[in-house]
Amino acid sequence: MSSRIPSTVLAALLGLTTLAPMGGTAQAAAPTTAPTAAAAAAQTLVPAGSEVTFVAKQLGVPLNGRFKTFSAQLAFDPKQPQTSKVAFQIDLGSVALNADADAELVKPEWFNTAKFPKATFQSAAIKATGPGHFDVSGKLSIKGQVHDLIVPVQLTQAQGVSTATGSFVIKRLDFKVGDGEWADPSVVANDVQVKFKLVLQGVPAL
């Protein structure tokens, strides 16, 4: 194994996450069921201004990445978060890197997109932790590996639009991202920080 690998490959360590301003494409669908009447109105993800980014580290040097294609389904009532549901999917092949990195990332050691084209998150419980703050608990699935995840979310509202922001850390090796000879955490850090900003329409008032 080489002691150094291309930064563009390492920048794609995260299979999550992660939305597409900057020329990307986003997809959103209304939920088939809504847990409350207030959440029953169509709630959609707005591509403009939305993003999911991540930071991985190679030999201690931060590397930044993002995803371009994603979809979301939500039925969220800030006043009754315990009745709400959120689901999210990311096209793992949509990491915005160069052609050389894209050729590597589809391989089994990385995202194995032929077998696992998407990363998914499905909420199991949502609870308020303060005014405009929520913990979203659920299952994150990447590359066939499923783990519990709690996502802290801050929700703000202005001019009829809601913006959800937050960050969290995952362990890439839990999801076999950078598997085999790439699993050495002294070269590629195990921790990957994810940050997101989701612009939403149709969410009831706080």
Side-chain angles (χ1 to χ4, degrees), residues 90-150:
I90 294 173
D91 182 346
L92 294 179
S94 72
V95 176
L97 297 172
N98 63 39
D100 290 339
D102 293 345
E104 291 296 320
L105 293 173
V106 299
K107 294 180 179 179
E109 295 83 358
W110 296 96
F111 294 148
N112 195 4
T113 56
K115 187 174 182 181
F116 306 106
K118 295 182 183 297
T120 65
F121 176 79
Q122 176 65 59
S123 69
I126 304 176
K127 68 176 182 178
T129 57
H133 289 76
F134 306 88
D135 277 353
V136 182
S137 304
K139 300 286 187 180
L140 176 63
S141 176
I142 304 171
K143 207 176 173 184
Q145 308 301 307
V146 182
H147 293 278
D148 293 328
L149 180 67
I150 299 176

Side-chain angles (χ1 to χ4, degrees), residues 12 14 39 41 80 123 127 143 152 186 190:
L14 175 67
Q80 300 184 66
S123 69
K127 68 176 182 178
K143 207 176 173 184
S186 69
N190 194 19

Side-chain angles (χ1 to χ4, degrees), residues 4-16:
R4 186 173 180 84
I5 60 179
S7 63
T8 52
V9 172
L10 293 173
L13 294 174
L14 175 67
L16 178 221

